[in-house]
Amino acid sequence: MNINKIRNFCIIAHIDHGKSTLADRLLEEAKTISKKEMKNQVLDNMDLERERGITIKSHPIRIQYTHSDGDTYILNLIDTPGHVDFSYEVSRSLAACEGALLLVDAAQGVEAQTVSNAYLAIENDLTIIPVINKVDLPSAMVEEVSMQVVELIGCKKEEIINASAKNGIGIDEIFSAIIEKINPPKDRRKNSPRALIFDSTYDNYKGAIPYVRVFDGVLRAGMKARFFAHDKEYEITETGYFILDKIKTKELHSGEVGYVVASIRDMAHIEPGDTITTSENNADEPLPGYKKIKPMVFSGLYPAEPDDYDQLRQALEKLKLNDASLEFIPETSDALGFGFRCGFLGLLHLEIIQERLEREFNLDLVTTTPNVIYNIIDKSGKIIKVDTPAKMPETGEIQEILEPVVKAEILTPKKYIGAIMNLCQKKRGVYINTNYLSPDKAQLHYELPLGEIIFDFYDKLKSISSGYASFDYEFKEFLNAKLQKLDILIHGEPVDALSLICHSDDAYHRGVALCSKLKELIPRQMFEVAIQAALNNRIIARTTVRALKKNVTAKCYGGDITRKRKLWEKQKKGKKRMKMIGKVEVPQEALLAVLQVDND
């Protein structure tokens, strides 16, 4: 294939702006997929993606398109997710492309993730083709949205393509723009082989399979692949590209996107962002990678059945293959036994990973309260990283607590500005500035503590803005804060899964609210159960779950009252003994109560 006839591109957009529908129309127009195989969101092959209507991971596919000039072009589309929690996937896709379609919904306009992804594409020096989607909707604001796009990327208004992915409007113009505006890859077939791993998957028969974009040289079966990250070597047994399934081919050369099979059984040997070269013609240095995004939210995942521990470990290893931002280390909890401390990019990321583990690997899981990472400076000046309240040192040993602060960007219609500013203030936000993208759309900038936004901030933002506001954030720095560890004691025993680190001003209210919530969720026992909240070993709130009482005098009728009194005394002693030796099982709903506590 002539390298000048290859185009590598991706589609970037905010969540729910019609990205998967546009991919469907491009595949349909180019006849890449037969009508029999065609379905909505064809690239979203997970049930979870279809149910939620979101793209969770990138999907590469090769489109063969005959242009009006009579030539046939190979267009490699790498579909990308749109949600803020999957920006790591987007950065990997962008590193493998030369161009991007920037898709904006005509009814909703430029949103937070649109801005974030556009900047990522500009940083990667990609050719950006602006497309306004859903122009046929009655609520479409084409003129206004065009102004926002011009403001965002500095293009001319006539360069913007008006399209409707659902009804196939503007699809030919999009194909023409891809072919005419995006540069073909550089022909570097004679160089030493270098291929960037942008994703990977696991096959029970073929092992771990890296998805690659070849920048230099050629990769073919029989060569020995070498990885820069660990210097391990594997013999390549198969190369190929993607349509819906993997299509075997003789070789992958400079400019192509495909996969490499090399019987790699150790999943840890595939690292997205790594470079593959060959032993026969070794490259001197790896391709420039993309920045490693660190997890911001931490939570414990424990198997409900202790026997499933090994199965959970294998499942996490397989998920890490195509989601490099997931991190996990083994940990033990007094309440929950053996499990893993996992790092996620955000709450949606946590939710998706949990659901995938339960669906794809048939696991029953218990999840602890999400926490962010804190830097604690002790009296000796040493910095301790704390990602769970259980690791927090005693109050007397702490000199300073630093919490992660993020730069938040909120895009909203101007009528909701007051309510949103009020919400940010309640979450200890520091106002930076307001920009107007159009007469009706404003961009608010805030600095917010990450610990305050991981719980219910996004839900409340959507609620007060009737679903119109969009939110994006990036880590800024660690700042000093007045934080304390809030312990929850059930029947006198601290439950590490319920502990949390919160601001001193909120601690008392959180403790009271949490005790009340747990009282509703913890089942009644045959003895009285005390639920207490403690700050620095001082009890600040308490509620009691009343005991179930058996009617021991049911069989007594007539006779002296002393008979009944004796039975009641005996019951009282039994309950006292039960209270001393009794254990309380904490259900999963109670462990999640921390998330539902409203501390406004």
Side-chain angles (χ1 to χ4, degrees):
M1 182 75 198
N2 181 352
I3 201 161
N4 292 321
K5 299 284 186 277
I6 294 175
R7 301 288 183 275
N8 297 317
F9 74 101
C10 59
I11 307 172
I12 52 176
H14 189 83
I15 190 168
D16 202 29
H17 277 213
K19 186 162 33 63
S20 297
T21 311
L22 178 60
D24 290 351
R25 289 298 81 72
L26 293 173
L27 296 173
E28 204 170 50
E29 182 69 25
K31 298 183 175 58
T32 303
I33 293 173
S34 67
K35 281 205 161 76
K36 189 180 169 186
E37 292 174 299
M38 197 64 213
K39 56 186 174 182
N40 286 342
Q41 289 175 257
V42 72
L43 293 183
D44 293 345
N45 53 16
M46 274 188 239
D47 290 340
L48 206 52
E49 291 179 308
R50 296 177 166 282
E51 281 170 30
R52 289 173 176 254
I54 60 174
T55 302
I56 291 167
K57 60 182 301 301
S58 58
H59 299 268
I61 192 161
R62 178 187 280 212
I63 300 169
Q64 212 158 344
Y65 178 73
T66 305
H67 191 35
S68 53
D69 60 11
D71 288 339
T72 300
Y73 290 81
I74 296 285
L75 312 177
N76 289 310
L77 161 63
I78 300 170
D79 192 22
T80 58
H83 194 276
V84 54
D85 282 5
F86 301 104
S87 55
Y88 191 77
E89 294 275 340
V90 180
S91 73
R92 299 215 301 260
S93 302
L94 295 177
C97 299
E98 277 84 29
L101 298 179
L102 180 69
L103 198 64
V104 182
D105 188 322
Q108 296 177 62
V110 169
E111 299 206 52
Q113 198 63 24
T114 317
V115 177
S116 171
N117 288 342
Y119 288 159
L120 269 176
I122 292 163
E123 276 172 37
N124 279 273
D125 205 20
L126 264 58
T127 302
I128 297 175
I129 299 168
V131 179
I132 296 178
N133 191 24
K134 307 185 188 179
V135 292
D136 53 343
L137 287 181
S139 55
M141 308 173 290
V142 180
E143 279 301 308
E144 196 178 309
V145 175
S146 299
M147 278 166 51
Q148 293 174 14
V149 173
V150 169
E151 181 80 21
L152 175 64
I153 59 171
C155 64
K156 290 177 184 163
K157 192 180 166 189
E158 46 279 12
E159 289 174 15
I160 301 169
I161 300 168
N162 292 341
S164 168
K166 195 170 186 181
N167 295 320
I169 300 167
I171 302 300
D172 288 336
E173 288 96 311
I174 292 171
F175 271 123
S176 297
I178 291 167
I179 289 163
E180 289 157 21
K181 293 182 182 176
I182 296 174
N183 294 324
K186 290 174 182 162
D187 191 354
R188 300 198 290 229
R189 278 180 270 201
K190 291 176 182 171
N191 295 5
S192 300
R194 287 194 305 171
L196 177 76
I197 302 174
F198 64 85
D199 202 352
S200 49
T201 186
Y202 190 81
D203 185 287
N204 288 331
Y205 303 104
K206 296 177 179 179
I209 302 172
Y211 292 1
V212 298
R213 155 70 203 274
V214 183
F215 281 87
D216 299 289
V218 176
L219 293 176
R220 67 170 72 89
M223 288 180 165
K224 279 203 170 163
R226 191 174 74 77
F227 296 81
F228 274 89
H230 47 70
D231 277 340
K232 292 278 188 292
E233 290 183 3
Y234 290 97
E235 187 177 335
I236 298 172
T237 55
E238 185 186 321
T239 57
Y241 56 85
F242 311 94
I243 293 190
L244 268 188
D245 293 321
K246 297 178 179 73
I247 309 293
K248 196 172 171 181
T249 184
K250 279 186 182 177
E251 62 180 31
L252 287 176
H253 61 71
S254 167
E256 290 194 303
V257 173
Y259 67 90
V260 174
V261 177
S263 302
I264 303 162
R265 292 290 160 191
D266 191 337
M267 289 177 269
H269 286 176
I270 302 283
E271 287 186 27
D274 189 15
T275 302
I276 297 179
T277 184
T278 58
S279 307
E280 296 88 348
N281 189 1
N282 197 11
D284 297 329
E285 54 182 47
L287 292 159
Y290 28 74
K291 63 178 180 182
K292 170 76 174 153
I293 296 178
K294 289 180 181 165
M296 283 283 119
V297 175
F298 291 83
S299 178
L301 290 181
Y302 294 85
E305 295 294 324
D307 295 347
D308 291 342
Y309 176 77
D310 280 336
Q311 198 185 334
L312 175 59
R313 181 177 49 76
Q314 286 168 13
L316 285 167
E317 282 175 357
K318 285 180 182 175
L319 284 189
K320 189 171 168 63
L321 265 183
N322 51 34
D323 188 352
S325 53
L326 170 67
E327 286 189 3
F328 60 93
I329 53 165
E331 77 165 1
T332 314
S333 158
D334 296 337
L336 303 165
F338 293 102
F340 293 91
R341 187 95 196 139
C342 302
F344 305 94
L345 295 179
L347 270 190
L348 179 75
H349 192 204
L350 183 159
E351 219 180 296
I352 294 295
I353 293 291
Q354 187 187 343
E355 281 203 45
R356 285 187 69 186
L357 287 167
E358 287 175 350
R359 288 183 184 204
E360 294 173 29
F361 301 96
N362 253 342
L363 288 164
D364 198 3
L365 297 174
V366 176
T367 316
T368 64
T369 315
N371 289 293
V372 299
I373 198 160
Y374 296 95
N375 283 347
I376 292 174
I377 302 170
D378 65 12
K379 295 284 193 215
S380 63
K382 186 181 161 194
I383 296 176
I384 304 161
K385 289 199 178 293
V386 169
D387 58 19
T388 170
K391 293 181 186 172
M392 189 126 164
E394 291 297 318
T395 315
E397 296 168 28
I398 298 172
Q399 183 181 311
E400 209 177 353
I401 301 177
L402 305 175
E403 68 175 346
V405 172
V406 296
K407 275 194 323 199
E409 173 194 41
I410 300 164
L411 268 73
T412 174
K414 67 178 182 185
K415 64 178 175 181
Y416 302 112
I417 290 176
I420 289 171
M421 289 177 102
N422 194 21
L423 171 67
C424 292
Q425 226 164 335
K426 282 180 182 172
K427 297 290 184 184
R428 299 191 285 123
V430 176
Y431 173 74
I432 309 295
N433 63 13
T434 304
N435 299 325
Y436 283 88
L437 296 176
S438 71
D440 191 49
K441 198 152 201 174
Q443 182 184 38
L444 297 172
H445 286 108
Y446 266 90
E447 283 180 8
L448 287 158
L450 185 62
E452 293 286 343
I453 64 174
I454 64 164
F455 290 114
D456 55 358
F457 181 82
Y458 192 67
D459 292 341
K460 283 187 176 169
L461 179 71
K462 284 289 179 191
S463 174
I464 62 177
S465 67
S466 308
Y468 285 109
S470 62
F471 173 65
D472 191 18
Y473 64 87
E474 63 177 45
F475 172 72
K476 189 184 178 221
E477 60 186 332
F478 281 92
L479 290 178
N480 187 14
K482 281 166 60 187
L483 300 169
Q484 286 180 302
K485 180 186 172 187
L486 179 69
D487 280 314
I488 299 295
L489 289 78
I490 293 177
H491 196 47
E493 294 286 321
V495 181
D496 54 357
L498 285 170
S499 301
L500 64 149
I501 296 168
C502 58
H503 197 265
S504 306
D505 299 347
D506 294 336
Y508 175 73
H509 303 291
R510 279 234 177 145
V512 172
L514 199 46
C515 285
S516 307
K517 191 86 182 166
L518 289 169
K519 185 181 177 181
E520 298 165 20
L521 296 169
I522 287 177
R524 287 171 70 185
Q525 312 288 323
M526 294 303 289
F527 53 91
E528 206 175 68
V529 177
I531 301 168
Q532 297 162 305
L535 273 178
N536 302 330
N537 299 323
R538 182 172 61 87
I539 304 296
I540 57 161
R542 171 189 166 125
T543 57
T544 306
V545 179
R546 285 174 50 232
L548 288 166
K549 196 165 183 183
K550 185 181 173 185
N551 187 0
V552 289
T553 58
K555 287 185 267 186
C556 293
Y557 49 90
D560 194 0
I561 189 69
T562 52
R563 281 183 67 202
K564 290 187 178 181
R565 281 198 185 125
K566 272 182 194 171
L567 288 167
W568 285 331
E569 281 302 316
K570 194 176 173 186
Q571 185 184 31
K572 206 170 174 183
K573 282 178 188 168
K575 290 216 178 282
K576 197 174 179 183
R577 194 165 60 250
M578 260 186 192
K579 200 170 175 181
M580 287 163 67
I581 60 163
K583 288 262 187 250
V584 182
E585 285 286 321
V586 182
Q588 166 75 344
E589 305 86 73
L591 295 175
L592 294 175
V594 185
L595 293 175
Q596 295 148 10
V597 169
D598 198 333
N599 65 325
D600 288 354

